[in-house]
Amino acid sequence: MMGPAHSLSGAAAWLGVGAAAAAAGYPMPWPVLLAGALICAGAALAPDLDHKAATISRAFGPLSRGLCEIVDKLSYAVYKATRKQGDPRRSGGHRTLTHTWLWAVLIGGGTSALAITGERWAVLAILFVHMVLAIEGLLWRATRGSSSDVLVWLLAATSAWILAGVLDKPGNGSDWLFTAPGQEYLWLGLPVVLGALVHDIGDALTVSGCPILWPIPVGRKRWYPVGPPRAMRFRAGSWVELKVLMPAFMLLGGVGGAAALNVI
């Protein structure tokens, strides 16, 4: 899928988790619901770090473009080193390492570890990065062109600072779900994992599929492209994505958010 659909699916997924958490007796304070939805929307773009033309490659200028080149080469090297006889030869690393469950878990775990060890400045950095990505994904039409980059960064920095301040207040969610001393913001890794997995599931619906299961082998392939039957797949950017899935994500997100806040 394309960046906007990935971001919408990520936000909708976290709002759905909020509804499920409320039903299970662990309701999210509204700042957690909001921050988590934005983080998840941003994290849903992150697996495309292996693609130089993706939305995330433009998000932080030369820094993100350079990082995408490094991740692409790393992913390709891992693919070549671990492919089985049934895996096809390829010339790049797109939709390989960063599109797996293992990558999602590692990135999410690293985010949580950074949040609880780096304290406030680490939390601000995590929020800032994901705010930038969320803005780029959800407001893609308004952020086109390099002239808007500084405005996006300023908006993301302001949003991160305000959100961190709100979350820090008692009862607002810095210790949501994980309540032991020293576990503040441990939950930040959850929307990161979820966003990456939702991205992978979205890509699995397209014609190319997605090797979510790596490194678990399937038959003669270690990079098996998981997906539904061919007749049920679509091309990225097609009318199915734009006219069906994106409106569905908006509707599901609205319902999930309302349920999470006990509005319905």
mmCIF file with all atom_site columns, all heavy atoms in Angstrom, residues 1 95 200-212 224-235 240 245:
data_model
loop_
_atom_site.group_PDB
_atom_site.id
_atom_site.type_symbol
_atom_site.label_atom_id
_atom_site.label_alt_id
_atom_site.label_comp_id
_atom_site.label_asym_id
_atom_site.label_entity_id
_atom_site.label_seq_id
_atom_site.pdbx_PDB_ins_code
_atom_site.Cartn_x
_atom_site.Cartn_y
_atom_site.Cartn_z
_atom_site.occupancy
_atom_site.B_iso_or_equiv
_atom_site.pdbx_formal_charge
_atom_site.auth_seq_id
_atom_site.auth_comp_id
_atom_site.auth_asym_id
_atom_site.auth_atom_id
_atom_site.pdbx_PDB_model_num
ATOM 1   N N   . MET A 1 1   ? 0.838   -1.197  0.000   1.00 0.00 ? 1   MET A N   1
ATOM 2   C CA  . MET A 1 1   ? 0.000   0.000   0.000   1.00 0.00 ? 1   MET A CA  1
ATOM 3   C C   . MET A 1 1   ? 0.873   1.246   0.000   1.00 0.00 ? 1   MET A C   1
ATOM 4   O O   . MET A 1 1   ? 2.062   1.188   0.285   1.00 0.00 ? 1   MET A O   1
ATOM 5   C CB  . MET A 1 1   ? -0.919  0.010   1.221   1.00 0.00 ? 1   MET A CB  1
ATOM 6   C CG  . MET A 1 1   ? -1.991  -1.070  1.206   1.00 0.00 ? 1   MET A CG  1
ATOM 7   S SD  . MET A 1 1   ? -3.346  -0.783  2.386   1.00 0.00 ? 1   MET A SD  1
ATOM 8   C CE  . MET A 1 1   ? -2.457  -0.762  3.939   1.00 0.00 ? 1   MET A CE  1
ATOM 9   N N   . ARG A 1 95  ? 10.936  -4.678  0.835   1.00 0.00 ? 95  ARG A N   1
ATOM 10  C CA  . ARG A 1 95  ? 10.019  -5.728  1.286   1.00 0.00 ? 95  ARG A CA  1
ATOM 11  C C   . ARG A 1 95  ? 10.757  -7.006  1.675   1.00 0.00 ? 95  ARG A C   1
ATOM 12  O O   . ARG A 1 95  ? 10.353  -8.106  1.317   1.00 0.00 ? 95  ARG A O   1
ATOM 13  C CB  . ARG A 1 95  ? 8.953   -6.029  0.225   1.00 0.00 ? 95  ARG A CB  1
ATOM 14  C CG  . ARG A 1 95  ? 7.886   -4.961  0.124   1.00 0.00 ? 95  ARG A CG  1
ATOM 15  C CD  . ARG A 1 95  ? 6.607   -5.488  -0.475  1.00 0.00 ? 95  ARG A CD  1
ATOM 16  N NE  . ARG A 1 95  ? 5.672   -4.404  -0.719  1.00 0.00 ? 95  ARG A NE  1
ATOM 17  C CZ  . ARG A 1 95  ? 4.434   -4.568  -1.198  1.00 0.00 ? 95  ARG A CZ  1
ATOM 18  N NH1 . ARG A 1 95  ? 4.005   -5.778  -1.472  1.00 0.00 ? 95  ARG A NH1 1
ATOM 19  N NH2 . ARG A 1 95  ? 3.647   -3.530  -1.390  1.00 0.00 ? 95  ARG A NH2 1
ATOM 20  N N   . ASP A 1 200 ? 2.871   -4.373  7.372   1.00 0.00 ? 200 ASP A N   1
ATOM 21  C CA  . ASP A 1 200 ? 3.162   -5.644  6.717   1.00 0.00 ? 200 ASP A CA  1
ATOM 22  C C   . ASP A 1 200 ? 1.888   -6.326  6.231   1.00 0.00 ? 200 ASP A C   1
ATOM 23  O O   . ASP A 1 200 ? 1.843   -6.889  5.127   1.00 0.00 ? 200 ASP A O   1
ATOM 24  C CB  . ASP A 1 200 ? 3.902   -6.574  7.674   1.00 0.00 ? 200 ASP A CB  1
ATOM 25  C CG  . ASP A 1 200 ? 5.261   -6.033  8.075   1.00 0.00 ? 200 ASP A CG  1
ATOM 26  O OD1 . ASP A 1 200 ? 5.756   -5.110  7.396   1.00 0.00 ? 200 ASP A OD1 1
ATOM 27  O OD2 . ASP A 1 200 ? 5.831   -6.528  9.071   1.00 0.00 ? 200 ASP A OD2 1
ATOM 28  N N   . ILE A 1 201 ? 0.847   -6.296  7.048   1.00 0.00 ? 201 ILE A N   1
ATOM 29  C CA  . ILE A 1 201 ? -0.417  -6.907  6.656   1.00 0.00 ? 201 ILE A CA  1
ATOM 30  C C   . ILE A 1 201 ? -1.000  -6.183  5.452   1.00 0.00 ? 201 ILE A C   1
ATOM 31  O O   . ILE A 1 201 ? -1.525  -6.805  4.519   1.00 0.00 ? 201 ILE A O   1
ATOM 32  C CB  . ILE A 1 201 ? -1.412  -6.897  7.833   1.00 0.00 ? 201 ILE A CB  1
ATOM 33  C CG1 . ILE A 1 201 ? -0.901  -7.816  8.950   1.00 0.00 ? 201 ILE A CG1 1
ATOM 34  C CG2 . ILE A 1 201 ? -2.803  -7.324  7.385   1.00 0.00 ? 201 ILE A CG2 1
ATOM 35  C CD1 . ILE A 1 201 ? -1.670  -7.693  10.251  1.00 0.00 ? 201 ILE A CD1 1
ATOM 36  N N   . GLY A 1 202 ? -0.890  -4.848  5.450   1.00 0.00 ? 202 GLY A N   1
ATOM 37  C CA  . GLY A 1 202 ? -1.368  -4.089  4.296   1.00 0.00 ? 202 GLY A CA  1
ATOM 38  C C   . GLY A 1 202 ? -0.633  -4.457  3.024   1.00 0.00 ? 202 GLY A C   1
ATOM 39  O O   . GLY A 1 202 ? -1.241  -4.640  1.969   1.00 0.00 ? 202 GLY A O   1
ATOM 40  N N   . ASP A 1 203 ? 0.689   -4.584  3.116   1.00 0.00 ? 203 ASP A N   1
ATOM 41  C CA  . ASP A 1 203 ? 1.467   -4.967  1.936   1.00 0.00 ? 203 ASP A CA  1
ATOM 42  C C   . ASP A 1 203 ? 1.171   -6.398  1.505   1.00 0.00 ? 203 ASP A C   1
ATOM 43  O O   . ASP A 1 203 ? 1.275   -6.737  0.316   1.00 0.00 ? 203 ASP A O   1
ATOM 44  C CB  . ASP A 1 203 ? 2.965   -4.811  2.220   1.00 0.00 ? 203 ASP A CB  1
ATOM 45  C CG  . ASP A 1 203 ? 3.442   -3.376  2.055   1.00 0.00 ? 203 ASP A CG  1
ATOM 46  O OD1 . ASP A 1 203 ? 2.634   -2.537  1.606   1.00 0.00 ? 203 ASP A OD1 1
ATOM 47  O OD2 . ASP A 1 203 ? 4.603   -3.083  2.388   1.00 0.00 ? 203 ASP A OD2 1
ATOM 48  N N   . ALA A 1 204 ? 0.799   -7.262  2.456   1.00 0.00 ? 204 ALA A N   1
ATOM 49  C CA  . ALA A 1 204 ? 0.468   -8.644  2.116   1.00 0.00 ? 204 ALA A CA  1
ATOM 50  C C   . ALA A 1 204 ? -0.788  -8.721  1.244   1.00 0.00 ? 204 ALA A C   1
ATOM 51  O O   . ALA A 1 204 ? -0.979  -9.706  0.519   1.00 0.00 ? 204 ALA A O   1
ATOM 52  C CB  . ALA A 1 204 ? 0.275   -9.463  3.387   1.00 0.00 ? 204 ALA A CB  1
ATOM 53  N N   . LEU A 1 205 ? -1.624  -7.682  1.308   1.00 0.00 ? 205 LEU A N   1
ATOM 54  C CA  . LEU A 1 205 ? -2.844  -7.674  0.496   1.00 0.00 ? 205 LEU A CA  1
ATOM 55  C C   . LEU A 1 205 ? -2.584  -7.292  -0.949  1.00 0.00 ? 205 LEU A C   1
ATOM 56  O O   . LEU A 1 205 ? -3.472  -7.446  -1.796  1.00 0.00 ? 205 LEU A O   1
ATOM 57  C CB  . LEU A 1 205 ? -3.863  -6.700  1.105   1.00 0.00 ? 205 LEU A CB  1
ATOM 58  C CG  . LEU A 1 205 ? -4.336  -6.997  2.532   1.00 0.00 ? 205 LEU A CG  1
ATOM 59  C CD1 . LEU A 1 205 ? -5.260  -5.891  3.014   1.00 0.00 ? 205 LEU A CD1 1
ATOM 60  C CD2 . LEU A 1 205 ? -5.042  -8.340  2.587   1.00 0.00 ? 205 LEU A CD2 1
ATOM 61  N N   . THR A 1 206 ? -1.400  -6.783  -1.247  1.00 0.00 ? 206 THR A N   1
ATOM 62  C CA  . THR A 1 206 ? -1.088  -6.363  -2.607  1.00 0.00 ? 206 THR A CA  1
ATOM 63  C C   . THR A 1 206 ? -0.535  -7.532  -3.418  1.00 0.00 ? 206 THR A C   1
ATOM 64  O O   . THR A 1 206 ? -0.286  -8.613  -2.892  1.00 0.00 ? 206 THR A O   1
ATOM 65  C CB  . THR A 1 206 ? -0.071  -5.209  -2.598  1.00 0.00 ? 206 THR A CB  1
ATOM 66  O OG1 . THR A 1 206 ? 1.163   -5.663  -2.028  1.00 0.00 ? 206 THR A OG1 1
ATOM 67  C CG2 . THR A 1 206 ? -0.601  -4.030  -1.776  1.00 0.00 ? 206 THR A CG2 1
ATOM 68  N N   . VAL A 1 207 ? -0.333  -7.304  -4.707  1.00 0.00 ? 207 VAL A N   1
ATOM 69  C CA  . VAL A 1 207 ? 0.025   -8.395  -5.614  1.00 0.00 ? 207 VAL A CA  1
ATOM 70  C C   . VAL A 1 207 ? 1.350   -9.059  -5.262  1.00 0.00 ? 207 VAL A C   1
ATOM 71  O O   . VAL A 1 207 ? 1.542   -10.247 -5.527  1.00 0.00 ? 207 VAL A O   1
ATOM 72  C CB  . VAL A 1 207 ? 0.076   -7.888  -7.077  1.00 0.00 ? 207 VAL A CB  1
ATOM 73  C CG1 . VAL A 1 207 ? -1.320  -7.506  -7.554  1.00 0.00 ? 207 VAL A CG1 1
ATOM 74  C CG2 . VAL A 1 207 ? 1.024   -6.703  -7.216  1.00 0.00 ? 207 VAL A CG2 1
ATOM 75  N N   . SER A 1 208 ? 2.264   -8.323  -4.626  1.00 0.00 ? 208 SER A N   1
ATOM 76  C CA  . SER A 1 208 ? 3.578   -8.879  -4.330  1.00 0.00 ? 208 SER A CA  1
ATOM 77  C C   . SER A 1 208 ? 3.621   -9.692  -3.040  1.00 0.00 ? 208 SER A C   1
ATOM 78  O O   . SER A 1 208 ? 4.542   -10.470 -2.827  1.00 0.00 ? 208 SER A O   1
ATOM 79  C CB  . SER A 1 208 ? 4.624   -7.757  -4.248  1.00 0.00 ? 208 SER A CB  1
ATOM 80  O OG  . SER A 1 208 ? 4.713   -7.061  -5.465  1.00 0.00 ? 208 SER A OG  1
ATOM 81  N N   . GLY A 1 209 ? 2.622   -9.524  -2.160  1.00 0.00 ? 209 GLY A N   1
ATOM 82  C CA  . GLY A 1 209 ? 2.662   -10.194 -0.874  1.00 0.00 ? 209 GLY A CA  1
ATOM 83  C C   . GLY A 1 209 ? 3.734   -9.599  0.025   1.00 0.00 ? 209 GLY A C   1
ATOM 84  O O   . GLY A 1 209 ? 4.369   -8.591  -0.310  1.00 0.00 ? 209 GLY A O   1
ATOM 85  N N   . CYS A 1 210 ? 3.949   -10.206 1.189   1.00 0.00 ? 210 CYS A N   1
ATOM 86  C CA  . CYS A 1 210 ? 4.914   -9.678  2.161   1.00 0.00 ? 210 CYS A CA  1
ATOM 87  C C   . CYS A 1 210 ? 5.491   -10.820 2.988   1.00 0.00 ? 210 CYS A C   1
ATOM 88  O O   . CYS A 1 210 ? 4.734   -11.659 3.499   1.00 0.00 ? 210 CYS A O   1
ATOM 89  C CB  . CYS A 1 210 ? 4.213   -8.669  3.070   1.00 0.00 ? 210 CYS A CB  1
ATOM 90  S SG  . CYS A 1 210 ? 5.305   -7.793  4.205   1.00 0.00 ? 210 CYS A SG  1
ATOM 91  N N   . PRO A 1 211 ? 6.810   -10.880 3.149   1.00 0.00 ? 211 PRO A N   1
ATOM 92  C CA  . PRO A 1 211 ? 7.441   -11.989 3.879   1.00 0.00 ? 211 PRO A CA  1
ATOM 93  C C   . PRO A 1 211 ? 7.384   -11.821 5.396   1.00 0.00 ? 211 PRO A C   1
ATOM 94  O O   . PRO A 1 211 ? 8.412   -11.850 6.093   1.00 0.00 ? 211 PRO A O   1
ATOM 95  C CB  . PRO A 1 211 ? 8.879   -11.954 3.369   1.00 0.00 ? 211 PRO A CB  1
ATOM 96  C CG  . PRO A 1 211 ? 9.141   -10.502 3.132   1.00 0.00 ? 211 PRO A CG  1
ATOM 97  C CD  . PRO A 1 211 ? 7.825   -9.951  2.601   1.00 0.00 ? 211 PRO A CD  1
ATOM 98  N N   . ILE A 1 212 ? 6.182   -11.652 5.932   1.00 0.00 ? 212 ILE A N   1
ATOM 99  C CA  . ILE A 1 212 ? 6.004   -11.367 7.349   1.00 0.00 ? 212 ILE A CA  1
ATOM 100 C C   . ILE A 1 212 ? 6.645   -12.441 8.238   1.00 0.00 ? 212 ILE A C   1
ATOM 101 O O   . ILE A 1 212 ? 7.170   -12.139 9.309   1.00 0.00 ? 212 ILE A O   1
ATOM 102 C CB  . ILE A 1 212 ? 4.503   -11.258 7.687   1.00 0.00 ? 212 ILE A CB  1
ATOM 103 C CG1 . ILE A 1 212 ? 3.829   -10.185 6.830   1.00 0.00 ? 212 ILE A CG1 1
ATOM 104 C CG2 . ILE A 1 212 ? 4.304   -10.940 9.166   1.00 0.00 ? 212 ILE A CG2 1
ATOM 105 C CD1 . ILE A 1 212 ? 2.320   -10.162 6.983   1.00 0.00 ? 212 ILE A CD1 1
ATOM 106 N N   . TYR A 1 224 ? 8.928   -16.284 2.212   1.00 0.00 ? 224 TYR A N   1
ATOM 107 C CA  . TYR A 1 224 ? 7.645   -16.601 1.580   1.00 0.00 ? 224 TYR A CA  1
ATOM 108 C C   . TYR A 1 224 ? 6.735   -15.369 1.584   1.00 0.00 ? 224 TYR A C   1
ATOM 109 O O   . TYR A 1 224 ? 6.474   -14.781 2.643   1.00 0.00 ? 224 TYR A O   1
ATOM 110 C CB  . TYR A 1 224 ? 6.957   -17.739 2.318   1.00 0.00 ? 224 TYR A CB  1
ATOM 111 C CG  . TYR A 1 224 ? 5.676   -18.184 1.673   1.00 0.00 ? 224 TYR A CG  1
ATOM 112 C CD1 . TYR A 1 224 ? 5.680   -19.071 0.605   1.00 0.00 ? 224 TYR A CD1 1
ATOM 113 C CD2 . TYR A 1 224 ? 4.447   -17.698 2.135   1.00 0.00 ? 224 TYR A CD2 1
ATOM 114 C CE1 . TYR A 1 224 ? 4.501   -19.475 0.011   1.00 0.00 ? 224 TYR A CE1 1
ATOM 115 C CE2 . TYR A 1 224 ? 3.264   -18.092 1.542   1.00 0.00 ? 224 TYR A CE2 1
ATOM 116 C CZ  . TYR A 1 224 ? 3.298   -18.989 0.485   1.00 0.00 ? 224 TYR A CZ  1
ATOM 117 O OH  . TYR A 1 224 ? 2.118   -19.370 -0.104  1.00 0.00 ? 224 TYR A OH  1
ATOM 118 N N   . PRO A 1 225 ? 6.226   -14.948 0.404   1.00 0.00 ? 225 PRO A N   1
ATOM 119 C CA  . PRO A 1 225 ? 5.370   -13.757 0.329   1.00 0.00 ? 225 PRO A CA  1
ATOM 120 C C   . PRO A 1 225 ? 3.945   -14.061 0.789   1.00 0.00 ? 225 PRO A C   1
ATOM 121 O O   . PRO A 1 225 ? 3.097   -14.474 0.007   1.00 0.00 ? 225 PRO A O   1
ATOM 122 C CB  . PRO A 1 225 ? 5.424   -13.379 -1.150  1.00 0.00 ? 225 PRO A CB  1
ATOM 123 C CG  . PRO A 1 225 ? 5.659   -14.684 -1.856  1.00 0.00 ? 225 PRO A CG  1
ATOM 124 C CD  . PRO A 1 225 ? 6.503   -15.516 -0.926  1.00 0.00 ? 225 PRO A CD  1
ATOM 125 N N   . VAL A 1 226 ? 3.671   -13.852 2.058   1.00 0.00 ? 226 VAL A N   1
ATOM 126 C CA  . VAL A 1 226 ? 2.352   -14.126 2.629   1.00 0.00 ? 226 VAL A CA  1
ATOM 127 C C   . VAL A 1 226 ? 1.306   -13.214 1.987   1.00 0.00 ? 226 VAL A C   1
ATOM 128 O O   . VAL A 1 226 ? 1.561   -12.031 1.742   1.00 0.00 ? 226 VAL A O   1
ATOM 129 C CB  . VAL A 1 226 ? 2.382   -13.915 4.148   1.00 0.00 ? 226 VAL A CB  1
ATOM 130 C CG1 . VAL A 1 226 ? 0.986   -14.060 4.753   1.00 0.00 ? 226 VAL A CG1 1
ATOM 131 C CG2 . VAL A 1 226 ? 3.348   -14.900 4.790   1.00 0.00 ? 226 VAL A CG2 1
ATOM 132 N N   . GLY A 1 227 ? 0.126   -13.761 1.738   1.00 0.00 ? 227 GLY A N   1
ATOM 133 C CA  . GLY A 1 227 ? -0.952  -12.964 1.176   1.00 0.00 ? 227 GLY A CA  1
ATOM 134 C C   . GLY A 1 227 ? -2.172  -13.815 0.904   1.00 0.00 ? 227 GLY A C   1
ATOM 135 O O   . GLY A 1 227 ? -2.104  -15.047 0.947   1.00 0.00 ? 227 GLY A O   1
ATOM 136 N N   . PRO A 1 228 ? -3.310  -13.181 0.627   1.00 0.00 ? 228 PRO A N   1
ATOM 137 C CA  . PRO A 1 228 ? -4.528  -13.915 0.303   1.00 0.00 ? 228 PRO A CA  1
ATOM 138 C C   . PRO A 1 228 ? -4.433  -14.499 -1.107  1.00 0.00 ? 228 PRO A C   1
ATOM 139 O O   . PRO A 1 228 ? -3.439  -14.264 -1.812  1.00 0.00 ? 228 PRO A O   1
ATOM 140 C CB  . PRO A 1 228 ? -5.611  -12.829 0.382   1.00 0.00 ? 228 PRO A CB  1
ATOM 141 C CG  . PRO A 1 228 ? -4.888  -11.576 0.020   1.00 0.00 ? 228 PRO A CG  1
ATOM 142 C CD  . PRO A 1 228 ? -3.502  -11.727 0.588   1.00 0.00 ? 228 PRO A CD  1
ATOM 143 N N   . PRO A 1 229 ? -5.425  -15.250 -1.552  1.00 0.00 ? 229 PRO A N   1
ATOM 144 C CA  . PRO A 1 229 ? -5.423  -15.746 -2.940  1.00 0.00 ? 229 PRO A CA  1
ATOM 145 C C   . PRO A 1 229 ? -5.245  -14.607 -3.929  1.00 0.00 ? 229 PRO A C   1
ATOM 146 O O   . PRO A 1 229 ? -5.682  -13.474 -3.692  1.00 0.00 ? 229 PRO A O   1
ATOM 147 C CB  . PRO A 1 229 ? -6.802  -16.400 -3.069  1.00 0.00 ? 229 PRO A CB  1
ATOM 148 C CG  . PRO A 1 229 ? -7.164  -16.809 -1.678  1.00 0.00 ? 229 PRO A CG  1
ATOM 149 C CD  . PRO A 1 229 ? -6.584  -15.751 -0.788  1.00 0.00 ? 229 PRO A CD  1
ATOM 150 N N   . ARG A 1 230 ? -4.610  -14.885 -5.048  1.00 0.00 ? 230 ARG A N   1
ATOM 151 C CA  . ARG A 1 230 ? -4.278  -13.849 -6.040  1.00 0.00 ? 230 ARG A CA  1
ATOM 152 C C   . ARG A 1 230 ? -5.485  -13.014 -6.443  1.00 0.00 ? 230 ARG A C   1
ATOM 153 O O   . ARG A 1 230 ? -5.377  -11.803 -6.661  1.00 0.00 ? 230 ARG A O   1
ATOM 154 C CB  . ARG A 1 230 ? -3.671  -14.515 -7.286  1.00 0.00 ? 230 ARG A CB  1
ATOM 155 C CG  . ARG A 1 230 ? -2.291  -15.114 -7.061  1.00 0.00 ? 230 ARG A CG  1
ATOM 156 C CD  . ARG A 1 230 ? -1.236  -14.029 -7.046  1.00 0.00 ? 230 ARG A CD  1
ATOM 157 N NE  . ARG A 1 230 ? 0.092   -14.556 -6.762  1.00 0.00 ? 230 ARG A NE  1
ATOM 158 C CZ  . ARG A 1 230 ? 1.177   -13.814 -6.677  1.00 0.00 ? 230 ARG A CZ  1
ATOM 159 N NH1 . ARG A 1 230 ? 1.087   -12.501 -6.835  1.00 0.00 ? 230 ARG A NH1 1
ATOM 160 N NH2 . ARG A 1 230 ? 2.347   -14.358 -6.396  1.00 0.00 ? 230 ARG A NH2 1
ATOM 161 N N   . ALA A 1 231 ? -6.633  -13.642 -6.554  1.00 0.00 ? 231 ALA A N   1
ATOM 162 C CA  . ALA A 1 231 ? -7.821  -12.914 -7.007  1.00 0.00 ? 231 ALA A CA  1
ATOM 163 C C   . ALA A 1 231 ? -8.260  -11.838 -6.019  1.00 0.00 ? 231 ALA A C   1
ATOM 164 O O   . ALA A 1 231 ? -8.996  -10.915 -6.384  1.00 0.00 ? 231 ALA A O   1
ATOM 165 C CB  . ALA A 1 231 ? -8.962  -13.895 -7.250  1.00 0.00 ? 231 ALA A CB  1
ATOM 166 N N   . MET A 1 232 ? -7.808  -11.947 -4.765  1.00 0.00 ? 232 MET A N   1
ATOM 167 C CA  . MET A 1 232 ? -8.216  -10.990 -3.735  1.00 0.00 ? 232 MET A CA  1
ATOM 168 C C   . MET A 1 232 ? -7.188  -9.888  -3.517  1.00 0.00 ? 232 MET A C   1
ATOM 169 O O   . MET A 1 232 ? -7.388  -9.016  -2.674  1.00 0.00 ? 232 MET A O   1
ATOM 170 C CB  . MET A 1 232 ? -8.457  -11.731 -2.419  1.00 0.00 ? 232 MET A CB  1
ATOM 171 C CG  . MET A 1 232 ? -9.549  -12.767 -2.483  1.00 0.00 ? 232 MET A CG  1
ATOM 172 S SD  . MET A 1 232 ? -9.706  -13.697 -0.927  1.00 0.00 ? 232 MET A SD  1
ATOM 173 C CE  . MET A 1 232 ? -10.146 -12.392 0.224   1.00 0.00 ? 232 MET A CE  1
ATOM 174 N N   . ARG A 1 233 ? -6.098  -9.895  -4.249  1.00 0.00 ? 233 ARG A N   1
ATOM 175 C CA  . ARG A 1 233 ? -5.060  -8.887  -4.076  1.00 0.00 ? 233 ARG A CA  1
ATOM 176 C C   . ARG A 1 233 ? -5.285  -7.697  -5.001  1.00 0.00 ? 233 ARG A C   1
ATOM 177 O O   . ARG A 1 233 ? -6.036  -7.771  -5.962  1.00 0.00 ? 233 ARG A O   1
ATOM 178 C CB  . ARG A 1 233 ? -3.681  -9.508  -4.320  1.00 0.00 ? 233 ARG A CB  1
ATOM 179 C CG  . ARG A 1 233 ? -3.377  -10.697 -3.415  1.00 0.00 ? 233 ARG A CG  1
ATOM 180 C CD  . ARG A 1 233 ? -1.946  -11.167 -3.590  1.00 0.00 ? 233 ARG A CD  1
ATOM 181 N NE  . ARG A 1 233 ? -1.691  -12.422 -2.908  1.00 0.00 ? 233 ARG A NE  1
ATOM 182 C CZ  . ARG A 1 233 ? -0.496  -12.969 -2.752  1.00 0.00 ? 233 ARG A CZ  1
ATOM 183 N NH1 . ARG A 1 233 ? 0.579   -12.352 -3.250  1.00 0.00 ? 233 ARG A NH1 1
ATOM 184 N NH2 . ARG A 1 233 ? -0.354  -14.111 -2.128  1.00 0.00 ? 233 ARG A NH2 1
ATOM 185 N N   . PHE A 1 234 ? -4.608  -6.597  -4.711  1.00 0.00 ? 234 PHE A N   1
ATOM 186 C CA  . PHE A 1 234 ? -4.744  -5.386  -5.518  1.00 0.00 ? 234 PHE A CA  1
ATOM 187 C C   . PHE A 1 234 ? -3.380  -4.732  -5.668  1.00 0.00 ? 234 PHE A C   1
ATOM 188 O O   . PHE A 1 234 ? -2.439  -5.047  -4.930  1.00 0.00 ? 234 PHE A O   1
ATOM 189 C CB  . PHE A 1 234 ? -5.730  -4.407  -4.870  1.00 0.00 ? 234 PHE A CB  1
ATOM 190 C CG  . PHE A 1 234 ? -5.352  -4.000  -3.479  1.00 0.00 ? 234 PHE A CG  1
ATOM 191 C CD1 . PHE A 1 234 ? -4.526  -2.894  -3.260  1.00 0.00 ? 234 PHE A CD1 1
ATOM 192 C CD2 . PHE A 1 234 ? -5.798  -4.717  -2.378  1.00 0.00 ? 234 PHE A CD2 1
ATOM 193 C CE1 . PHE A 1 234 ? -4.161  -2.512  -1.981  1.00 0.00 ? 234 PHE A CE1 1
ATOM 194 C CE2 . PHE A 1 234 ? -5.434  -4.340  -1.084  1.00 0.00 ? 234 PHE A CE2 1
ATOM 195 C CZ  . PHE A 1 234 ? -4.616  -3.236  -0.894  1.00 0.00 ? 234 PHE A CZ  1
ATOM 196 N N   . ARG A 1 235 ? -3.286  -3.819  -6.592  1.00 0.00 ? 235 ARG A N   1
ATOM 197 C CA  . ARG A 1 235 ? -2.032  -3.078  -6.792  1.00 0.00 ? 235 ARG A CA  1
ATOM 198 C C   . ARG A 1 235 ? -1.988  -1.864  -5.867  1.00 0.00 ? 235 ARG A C   1
ATOM 199 O O   . ARG A 1 235 ? -3.010  -1.210  -5.637  1.00 0.00 ? 235 ARG A O   1
ATOM 200 C CB  . ARG A 1 235 ? -1.898  -2.632  -8.252  1.00 0.00 ? 235 ARG A CB  1
ATOM 201 C CG  . ARG A 1 235 ? -1.695  -3.784  -9.214  1.00 0.00 ? 235 ARG A CG  1
ATOM 202 C CD  . ARG A 1 235 ? -1.323  -3.286  -10.611 1.00 0.00 ? 235 ARG A CD  1
ATOM 203 N NE  . ARG A 1 235 ? -1.076  -4.407  -11.497 1.00 0.00 ? 235 ARG A NE  1
ATOM 204 C CZ  . ARG A 1 235 ? 0.067   -5.082  -11.558 1.00 0.00 ? 235 ARG A CZ  1
ATOM 205 N NH1 . ARG A 1 235 ? 1.077   -4.726  -10.787 1.00 0.00 ? 235 ARG A NH1 1
ATOM 206 N NH2 . ARG A 1 235 ? 0.204   -6.092  -12.384 1.00 0.00 ? 235 ARG A NH2 1
ATOM 207 N N   . VAL A 1 240 ? -9.009  0.286   -5.247  1.00 0.00 ? 240 VAL A N   1
ATOM 208 C CA  . VAL A 1 240 ? -9.393  -0.479  -4.060  1.00 0.00 ? 240 VAL A CA  1
ATOM 209 C C   . VAL A 1 240 ? -8.820  0.167   -2.806  1.00 0.00 ? 240 VAL A C   1
ATOM 210 O O   . VAL A 1 240 ? -9.508  0.312   -1.788  1.00 0.00 ? 240 VAL A O   1
ATOM 211 C CB  . VAL A 1 240 ? -8.900  -1.944  -4.181  1.00 0.00 ? 240 VAL A CB  1
ATOM 212 C CG1 . VAL A 1 240 ? -9.212  -2.716  -2.893  1.00 0.00 ? 240 VAL A CG1 1
ATOM 213 C CG2 . VAL A 1 240 ? -9.530  -2.626  -5.376  1.00 0.00 ? 240 VAL A CG2 1
ATOM 214 N N   . LEU A 1 245 ? -10.466 0.904   0.953   1.00 0.00 ? 245 LEU A N   1
ATOM 215 C CA  . LEU A 1 245 ? -9.739  0.685   2.201   1.00 0.00 ? 245 LEU A CA  1
ATOM 216 C C   . LEU A 1 245 ? -9.572  1.955   3.030   1.00 0.00 ? 245 LEU A C   1
ATOM 217 O O   . LEU A 1 245 ? -9.782  1.935   4.251   1.00 0.00 ? 245 LEU A O   1
ATOM 218 C CB  . LEU A 1 245 ? -8.375  0.071   1.895   1.00 0.00 ? 245 LEU A CB  1
ATOM 219 C CG  . LEU A 1 245 ? -8.397  -1.365  1.361   1.00 0.00 ? 245 LEU A CG  1
ATOM 220 C CD1 . LEU A 1 245 ? -6.976  -1.864  1.139   1.00 0.00 ? 245 LEU A CD1 1
ATOM 221 C CD2 . LEU A 1 245 ? -9.134  -2.283  2.331   1.00 0.00 ? 245 LEU A CD2 1
#
